[in-house]
Amino acid sequence: MVCLENGNIERLVHYFLIHENDYIQVMEGRENPIQHIINIQSFSRGEIDRILDRAAQLEPIAHGGVSDIMAGRILATLFYEPSTRTRLSFDVAMKRLGGNVIDFGPTEGSSVAKGENLADTISVMGGYADAIVLRHPREGAARMASEFSSVPVINAGDGAGQHPTQTLLDLYTIRKESKLNKVKIAIVGDLKYGRTVYSLAHALSMYNAEIYLVAPDQLRMPDSMKRDLVNKGARITETGNPDDVIGVVDVLYITRIQKERFPDPSEYQAVAGSYKITEETLKDVKDDLIIMHPLPRVGEIDPGVDKSRHAVYFKQSFYGVPVRMAILSMVME
Amino acid sequence: MKQENQPENRELRVRRIQNGTVIDHIAAGQALNVLRILGITDRSTEVLSVVMNVSDRKKDIVKIEDRELNPGEVDEIALISPDAIINIIRDYKVVEKYKVILPSEIEGVVRCMNPNCITNTDEPVKPRFTIHRGDGVELHCMYCRRIITDRIADFLI
């Protein structure tokens, strides 16, 4: 993470310009610039490492410790779409650090139902809270919100767009449970519609990962995204058959294959069946293979796998807490 | 006497103009989009000539009499035809000639092709793109990061 010194606007403006994009933006004329967390693509490897290091320091607190780092601070959570894990883990992260959370609640009962636009909601919330966590169904919503906000905006998912805190917790899990540098990882499932997969692959390429993209024909990663990843130095191999790679990888990252992506239900059944991870599938894998899943799962991993030494998806979910603690403390400190 | 098909004569397919602008080296097939950018419709009164697919489909040319372009129009032409050349004509002479320059960023000129982009809503935000030149012109939405690579003219606002 870039070092933010009080009043050092020029340096930050320069930083922003050379990084081209948008995870840190500067409110001109302010003594203390505001940090927004909008997307993962603008983070350097060093910046990611610093966030993961901070998360490791804070992990004991996530396990039930007490801290007052965020005492007196208020976080607003604005979820325009349903979310369980992301919303609750932000809530827990803030409270474990001694801070308070105000929740917007379901949009049906809010000013949104009266027709208020996002820009106005953000402008108002900035007066109530010290930071805003936003999930919104439209791509680019977080970036726009950051332009209207007087406090840091953290993107908790915008449509099929970015979900940077998910990527960071995925990286933390891989670093903690396997190894980040030169990891061999198979990313399996819906690689077409899940742009978070692209963000993960992008971040992993900074760690010289060997990435296997495993997807049925209908759900392969679009060529433009693959090209973009290769241009950024990613090492990518594609296959439609999980069996091709399951024996060689260190990490098996499973994503949900959504039924509605298939016009023919029988086609869905066939694909879902061949991508299901069972105890049988894991017979010939590396001893230290880890299996990850962003959850919720819908049948992609048989519950019988949960007790195997390979399954880390529930830990992965837990790691969302220390990682979000790290992010909250960094943007509000 | 010169032959009909010699280059000098082909350039005279459309007569010279006394005052106005000649937009040359427009990418073949884009002349009608240039007219769109210039706001020329069936009700316009400008005297203009359009030549398409000259030099074996390599380029289009637009000549408009008694009009000079504003910088915004030139930027938009650059998006759909980055090699176009603008000639400003006064009293039959070329008094200024320059190649269009692609701006590095545009705002409010092109709408995002992603229907789910926040810029395609009622929010008070204008579509903004960074512009990259590879084989062709690429527009990267600064909000949803979608990339527009072809048929840019279809998305002009």
Side-chain angles (χ1 to χ4, degrees), chain B residues 131-143:
Chain B
I131 298 174
H132 304 258
R133 180 128 196 222
D135 294 339
V137 176
E138 281 186 1
L139 304 186
H140 294 221
C141 175
M142 290 174 74
Y143 291 91

Side-chain angles (χ1 to χ4, degrees), chain A residues 20-22 39 41-42 117-120 136-141 143-144 147-148 158-160 162 195, chain B residues 114-125 128 130 132 138 140-147 149:
Chain A
E20 179 186 318
N21 263 307
D22 33 13
N39 67 39
Q41 279 86 339
S42 313
N117 65 25
L118 176 63
D120 283 3
H136 197 276
R138 293 280 189 165
E139 285 108 64
R143 162 84 195 228
M144 187 205 79
E147 292 171 2
F148 287 88
D158 52 353
Q162 304 288 326
R195 283 207 64 183
Chain B
N114 174 8
N116 206 40
C117 178
I118 193 73
T119 59
N120 285 319
T121 63
D122 293 335
E123 296 291 342
V125 61
R128 279 165 69 195
T130 54
H132 304 258
E138 281 186 1
H140 294 221
C141 175
M142 290 174 74
Y143 291 91
C144 75
R145 303 176 76 93
R146 184 72 69 91
I147 300 171
T149 50

Side-chain angles (χ1 to χ4, degrees), chain A residues 9-320:
Chain A
I9 298 281
E10 266 182 32
R11 190 164 150 252
L12 269 152
V13 169
H14 176 67
Y15 178 91
F16 177 54
L17 291 177
I18 60 171
H19 281 73
E20 179 186 318
N21 263 307
D22 33 13
Y23 99 91
I24 289 183
Q25 288 158 13
V26 179
M27 291 280 286
E28 278 176 35
R30 285 180 65 101
E31 265 295 289
N32 297 307
I34 301 172
Q35 297 181 67
H36 303 288
I37 307 286
I38 306 300
N39 67 39
I40 199 77
Q41 279 86 339
S42 313
F43 285 73
S44 71
R45 178 173 167 167
E47 289 157 1
I48 292 174
D49 284 339
R50 277 190 283 281
I51 294 172
L52 303 186
D53 290 346
R54 182 71 163 267
Q57 285 168 5
L58 294 170
E59 197 186 314
I61 302 169
H63 280 290
V66 182
S67 166
D68 60 359
I69 296 175
M70 288 288 108
R73 300 299 183 110
I74 295 174
L75 176 70
T77 51
L78 270 65
F79 281 75
Y80 287 72
E81 278 187 333
S83 158
T84 312
R85 258 159 296 282
T86 306
R87 186 167 58 81
L88 289 180
S89 66
F90 267 112
D91 195 274
V92 167
M94 190 62 182
K95 286 173 176 165
R96 292 255 191 235
L97 292 176
N100 282 305
V101 179
I102 52 172
D103 184 54
F104 194 58
T107 50
E108 297 81 44
S110 71
S111 51
V112 176
K114 296 174 188 160
E116 183 172 63
N117 65 25
L118 176 63
D120 283 3
T121 305
I122 291 290
S123 300
V124 171
M125 295 310 280
Y128 297 163
D130 299 299
I132 295 169
V133 171
L134 174 70
R135 170 167 292 186
H136 197 276
R138 293 280 189 165
E139 285 108 64
R143 162 84 195 228
M144 187 205 79
S146 72
E147 292 171 2
F148 287 88
S149 182
S150 56
V151 298
V153 171
I154 301 167
N155 185 3
D158 52 353
Q162 304 288 326
H163 194 357
T165 63
Q166 177 71 45
T167 305
L168 288 166
L169 80 88
D170 290 342
L171 295 174
Y172 185 77
T173 306
I174 295 168
R175 188 172 94 162
K176 180 120 196 194
E177 301 295 331
S178 180
K179 57 168 186 178
L180 249 185
N181 200 32
K182 295 186 179 168
V183 68
K184 286 185 183 174
I185 180 168
I187 306 178
V188 183
D190 181 352
L191 310 186
K192 184 174 183 181
Y193 298 98
R195 283 207 64 183
T196 51
V197 166
Y198 167 83
S199 298
L200 177 62
H202 175 92
L204 283 169
S205 64
M206 286 192 263
Y207 293 88
N208 305 310
E210 219 168 286
I211 302 166
Y212 298 91
L213 300 176
V214 186
D217 271 352
Q218 305 89 326
L219 299 176
R220 286 173 52 188
M221 183 178 279
D223 288 341
S224 60
M225 281 192 200
K226 270 184 302 198
R227 217 174 25 245
D228 201 37
L229 286 172
V230 170
N231 287 342
K232 289 184 167 104
R235 291 187 291 160
I236 289 176
T237 310
E238 262 192 308
T239 174
N241 184 358
D243 294 339
D244 290 348
V245 297
I246 203 161
V248 300
V249 293
D250 307 305
V251 179
L252 200 52
Y253 191 102
I254 313 288
T255 63
R256 191 152 53 97
I257 293 179
Q258 295 182 47
K259 208 175 188 172
E260 57 270 27
R261 305 292 186 210
F262 293 83
D264 179 354
S266 62
E267 205 180 327
Y268 163 75
Q269 294 297 349
V271 168
S274 67
Y275 279 71
K276 186 165 184 162
I277 304 298
T278 63
E279 289 165 282
E280 183 69 16
T281 325
L282 301 173
K283 269 197 316 196
D284 296 318
V285 299
K286 281 185 173 178
D287 275 353
D288 54 359
L289 168 82
I290 61 166
I291 303 170
M292 295 172 65
H293 191 302
L295 304 178
R297 64 174 157 178
V298 187
E300 301 86 19
I301 304 174
D302 187 86
V305 175
D306 296 357
K307 290 199 166 48
S308 91
R309 64 183 182 283
H310 304 296
V312 303
Y313 29 89
F314 293 120
K315 277 189 192 169
Q316 177 188 358
S317 196
F318 162 73
Y319 291 143

Side-chain angles (χ1 to χ4, degrees), chain B residues 17-63:
Chain B
I17 61 174
Q18 184 175 2
N19 292 301
T21 304
V22 175
I23 310 166
D24 198 358
H25 292 279
I26 299 168
Q30 292 296 327
L32 298 178
N33 287 323
V34 169
L35 298 187
R36 226 180 104 199
I37 290 168
L38 301 179
I40 290 167
T41 66
D42 54 355
R43 295 183 182 194
S44 301
T45 54
E46 284 102 332
V47 177
L48 68 108
S49 318
V50 178
V51 188
M52 293 182 73
N53 299 325
V54 288
S55 308
D56 295 328
R57 274 195 64 83
K58 285 197 186 108
K59 67 170 184 177
D60 294 357
I61 304 168
V62 170
K63 296 186 180 188

